[in-house]
Amino acid sequence: MATLSNREIADTFETVADMLQIKGEIIHRVLSYRRAGEAIRELPRDLHMIASEGKLTEIPGIGDTLAAKITEMLETGKLEFYERLTKEIPPGLVAIMRINGVGPKKAKLFWEQLNITTIQELEAAAREGKLRDLAGMGAKSELKVIEGIEALSRQTGRFSLGIALPAAQKILDQLLTVPGAIEGAIAGSIRRGKPTIGDVDLLVASDDATPIMDKFVHMENVARILGHGPTKSSVELLNGLQVDVRVLEKARWGTALNYFTGSQAHNIHMRELALEKGYSLNEHAFSPVDKDKNIIEDAPKILCATEEEVYATVGLPWIPPEIREDSGEIEAAKAGTLPNLIVIGDMQADLHMHTTWSDGVLSVREMAEAAKRRGRKYIVITDHSRSLGIANGLTIERLLEQQKEVRMVDAMMAPDFRVFHGTEMDINADGGLDFPDEILAQLDFVIASLHVSLRQERPQIMQRLLTAISNPHVDMIGHPRAQYIPDREPVDADMDAVFEAAKKHGTVLEINANPRRLDLEAQYVRRAIELGIPLSINTDAHAEDHMDLMPYGILTARRGWAEAKNIINTWSVERFVEWTTSRGK
DNA sequence: GCCGTTTTCGGCCCGACTGTTTTCAGTCG
């Protein structure tokens, strides 16, 4: 039977939303499909499982109608409603809407007036000058379409947080050198710690926007100016990254930072709360409204210089940016049950790293000292195992040889700092583990990870993962979904079953802090915590500077509502030793 | 199409910028 993944169903709903919008459906119906698509995309559980429990309508944004459509897709592999729509609206128009500056109205215009249904046809028409005479179009709009198509072909999709965050900081630092710039912040999805970034949102407080905007659009790495207004400008950088800058007065910093941090869903919820309190909220201020929700012009507005004031005005405590997704954080804030999210200072240890014994660039001693400089109290050396030839994986003989060196370094650095010996053992393609139990029993901490044959079918992947999770010597699964951002999709794993097994065997699941991984992702972190599964945040460092990637792991954990108590490497070394010992080492 | 200590019907967040317009529609976030 045809089976669809959460992602394919989310894609279908979002495509349906676009098609309905081209049709001119009322926007709220369109948004329902779009919101449902987003909700499904972020779901930590398989829709099959939720459907079999009859709980589809418990997903926020899914009612009876959409639940029935999900069920239809799960059972038949397709959606009749979508099939019908494709006969009415050419699917190519959905792709045309991805061009910057082209929305549903223009897509429909090009289609109805010129019978254009693909990006290729649109580009040809634009180059022949056929678009400029259409109603509402002109020579400039025609040029924008061409530029938009060129930009689209350059685009490599979303950027990883590890690329976007440093780039954003660099630009912000430049803008803050402009005289009159008082304060700056990175807002948007970077501030919320999302693993992939669509565009960069920067905020600068100043009484004079002009010089800041000028500096911004004339930076040397700007490929194209997308907009240049008095308070807001946008550019596309040479690497394709889009950056937006807003300049505002310091007195409105709180509302602005809150608004531009998002998420959009969180903002909408905040504005609804504001209306309940008798105010219209925007990025500038709270404005008193009458009972028809019209702004009372001469009534004094409330300006907020800090985010704390914004939340206080709607009767809430400040909510950390990482959980502003309208996924329960506002309800938790109301109830006084916001989590006490983990911070970098809670981290006592790094349990996953590599040395020159396999594919790292520093010795055991050098890694230990690098970790100590960063305030860690203990580490585990976990080089690759024998089957991973490309990474110079350790044979049993070399592993035991390495253990002597680790013990020596540990003796040198103790008691202030401890170095333990472990492995990052491959879970082989045939489902076997790369070291026998009697060898694993001699190690302090055992990670098992998937590195090869990642495109296997779900039954093979699950057999491998469950073998590793249930082995009594395996303490942790490294980067459990084996994704690589943005190029490689995660393995096809049944995460419900992974969680069930991890819970049963007390096996730790890793939050790999490398920004190319960030695996587990936040929605799975949150689910694992709900189920009481121990987690760990590690850098997987292959060099000294990789140890500085820990904050990315912290961001991901915070997005998953993690507190220090959920993360085992916040433990003292004594507790860690006690725990590994209790696991039969 | 969703949702409900204001509602099972009637609501559903808000503004900046652009390009085409003579006062605003479309797009984006």
Side-chain angles (χ1 to χ4, degrees):
Chain A
M1 185 180 65
T3 171
L4 294 179
S5 66
N6 286 16
R7 188 185 152 162
E8 287 164 317
I9 290 173
D11 286 345
T12 301
F13 278 163
E14 284 169 7
T15 303
V16 165
D18 286 342
M19 294 170 108
L20 290 176
Q21 204 174 3
I22 293 169
K23 267 189 74 172
E25 265 290 351
I26 59 160
I27 192 65
H28 302 294
R29 189 175 178 215
V30 172
L31 290 175
S32 293
Y33 279 93
R34 201 157 284 153
R35 271 196 279 265
E38 286 165 11
I40 291 167
R41 204 174 291 283
E42 297 301 321
L43 224 48
R45 303 190 62 209
D46 211 314
L47 277 172
H48 289 88
M49 198 68 69
I50 301 173
S52 71
E53 295 166 3
K55 291 183 175 170
L56 287 174
T57 54
E58 289 181 19
I59 302 167
I62 306 289
D64 290 338
T65 307
L66 291 182
K69 288 185 162 67
I70 292 170
T71 304
E72 181 191 343
M73 282 190 270
L74 291 174
E75 286 175 357
T76 69
K78 54 184 194 174
L79 181 64
E80 180 64 27
F81 179 56
Y82 168 75
E83 309 281 331
R84 276 209 317 274
L85 272 176
T86 60
K87 295 194 174 69
E88 227 178 308
I89 308 286
L93 295 184
V94 173
I96 285 179
M97 282 174 62
R98 282 175 40 231
I99 301 165
N100 204 307
V102 179
K105 295 283 165 60
K106 286 193 178 161
K108 189 178 185 187
L109 178 76
F110 301 148
W111 171 44
E112 288 184 340
Q113 297 297 314
L114 299 171
N115 200 28
I116 286 167
T117 59
T118 67
I119 291 180
Q120 290 73 24
E121 289 167 5
L122 181 63
E123 181 168 15
R127 291 194 187 282
E128 289 166 24
K130 288 179 180 170
L131 301 186
R132 62 182 66 187
D133 298 326
L134 298 173
M137 293 286 293
K140 275 190 176 176
S141 306
E142 191 175 71
L143 187 62
K144 270 186 81 172
V145 168
I146 295 173
E147 286 176 349
I149 293 171
E150 287 172 347
L152 198 62
S153 68
R154 279 197 303 274
Q155 242 176 47
T156 50
R158 294 174 70 85
F159 285 78
S160 98
L161 183 63
I163 302 289
L165 175 53
Q169 190 61 53
K170 210 170 147 189
I171 295 170
L172 186 62
D173 290 344
Q174 285 184 55
L175 299 180
L176 289 175
T177 65
V178 176
I182 302 165
E183 187 173 355
I186 301 170
S189 48
I190 298 182
R191 183 162 181 241
R192 302 201 312 280
K194 280 200 77 171
T196 64
I197 302 300
D199 54 24
V200 174
D201 288 296
L202 300 178
L203 242 57
V204 178
S206 173
D207 293 325
D208 186 8
T210 310
I212 294 166
M213 291 305 186
D214 287 346
K215 171 96 177 177
F216 175 63
V217 300
H218 293 119
M219 294 184 306
E220 61 180 4
N221 56 341
V222 168
R224 198 156 73 99
I225 299 173
L226 303 170
H228 187 185
T231 65
K232 175 189 166 185
S233 295
S234 301
V235 302
E236 183 190 315
L237 302 182
L238 291 171
N239 65 3
L241 190 60
Q242 184 180 325
V243 186
D244 299 349
V245 168
R246 275 92 170 181
V247 181
L248 53 123
E249 47 184 307
K250 184 79 170 72
R252 302 175 191 271
W253 185 253
T255 41
L257 182 58
N258 181 238
Y259 176 73
F260 291 116
T261 297
S263 66
Q264 193 181 22
H266 179 87
N267 287 350
I268 288 173
H269 203 152
M270 285 291 287
R271 288 168 172 200
E272 287 167 356
L273 287 186
L275 283 173
E276 287 173 23
K277 300 262 177 195
Y279 298 101
S280 169
L281 170 62
N282 63 24
E283 59 266 50
H284 306 294
F286 286 90
S287 306
V289 291
D290 62 24
K291 61 181 188 307
D292 295 325
K293 297 178 184 172
N294 296 312
I295 291 175
I296 304 167
E297 288 302 337
D298 46 0
K301 299 178 188 304
I302 301 175
L303 271 52
C304 297
T306 67
E307 282 193 331
E308 284 78 1
E309 294 169 52
V310 176
Y311 286 100
T313 305
V314 295
L316 297 179
W318 181 81
I319 297 175
E322 295 92 338
I323 61 171
R324 295 183 194 169
E325 300 291 344
D326 194 25
S327 58
E329 74 281 6
I330 289 177
E331 291 77 3
K334 268 186 191 164
T337 56
L338 279 174
N340 182 18
L341 298 180
I342 188 169
V343 295
I344 184 89
D346 292 325
M347 298 306 292
Q348 300 294 306
D350 197 339
L351 307 179
H352 183 173
M353 66 185 64
H354 301 268
T355 70
T356 47
W357 281 86
S358 65
D359 59 349
V361 301
L362 294 181
S363 68
V364 172
R365 171 97 193 246
E366 288 166 330
M367 288 302 270
E369 286 175 344
K372 188 177 178 187
R373 276 196 291 279
R374 284 160 178 79
R376 310 283 176 259
K377 299 288 193 289
Y378 58 102
I379 58 171
V380 187
I381 299 295
T382 55
D383 275 303
H384 290 289
S385 62
R386 54 188 174 181
S387 78
L388 203 61
I390 194 170
N392 191 26
L394 273 59
T395 60
I396 290 174
E397 292 70 29
R398 289 180 67 219
L399 180 73
L400 298 177
E401 191 67 24
Q402 183 191 40
Q403 186 164 74
K404 294 179 196 162
E405 181 175 328
V406 171
R407 297 293 183 236
M408 201 175 67
V409 174
D410 179 45
M412 281 191 300
M413 298 186 74
D416 303 345
F417 189 91
R418 296 293 309 275
V419 186
F420 297 99
H421 189 222
T423 179
E424 184 186 19
M425 170 178 64
D426 253 63
I427 307 170
N428 295 327
D430 63 5
L433 300 178
D434 211 17
F435 289 131
D437 284 0
E438 61 269 25
I439 297 300
L440 296 181
Q442 300 179 46
L443 300 173
D444 301 318
F445 185 76
V446 173
I447 307 172
S449 301
L450 295 169
H451 288 117
V452 297
S453 299
L454 301 175
R455 298 275 68 88
Q456 285 176 338
E457 301 285 322
R458 176 173 284 204
Q460 281 76 50
I461 292 287
M462 287 310 295
Q463 187 266 322
R464 294 167 73 189
L465 280 172
L466 295 180
T467 298
I469 293 170
S470 61
N471 183 298
H473 299 289
V474 170
D475 298 298
M476 181 174 90
I477 303 300
H479 42 75
R481 308 221 321 145
Q483 64 187 3
Y484 221 65
I485 300 168
D487 321 314
R488 194 172 71 211
E489 292 296 310
V491 293
D492 183 11
D494 173 356
M495 292 305 287
D496 279 341
V498 167
F499 288 143
E500 189 185 349
K503 169 107 180 145
K504 178 175 171 193
H505 296 281
T507 312
V508 177
L509 299 180
E510 181 179 58
I511 301 168
N512 192 292
N514 189 306
R516 296 296 298 275
R517 291 196 181 270
L518 298 181
D519 171 16
L520 289 178
E521 296 161 273
Q523 65 267 36
Y524 296 109
V525 171
R526 192 166 173 192
R527 179 77 181 150
I529 289 171
E530 284 167 3
L531 296 170
I533 294 162
L535 299 171
S536 169
I537 311 171
N538 304 296
T539 63
D540 196 355
H542 287 65
E544 172 156 3
D545 56 353
H546 292 174
M547 288 189 183
D548 297 322
L549 300 176
M550 189 65 94
Y552 292 99
I554 299 287
L555 279 172
T556 301
R558 287 169 64 88
R559 284 179 61 75
W561 294 49
E563 306 187 31
K565 66 183 179 193
N566 307 122
I567 307 295
I568 71 161
N569 42 341
T570 63
W571 292 349
S572 69
V573 67
E574 292 79 14
R575 184 166 174 203
F576 177 72
V577 169
E578 192 183 325
W579 177 80
T580 54
T581 309
S582 76
R583 285 181 63 77
K585 298 299 170 299

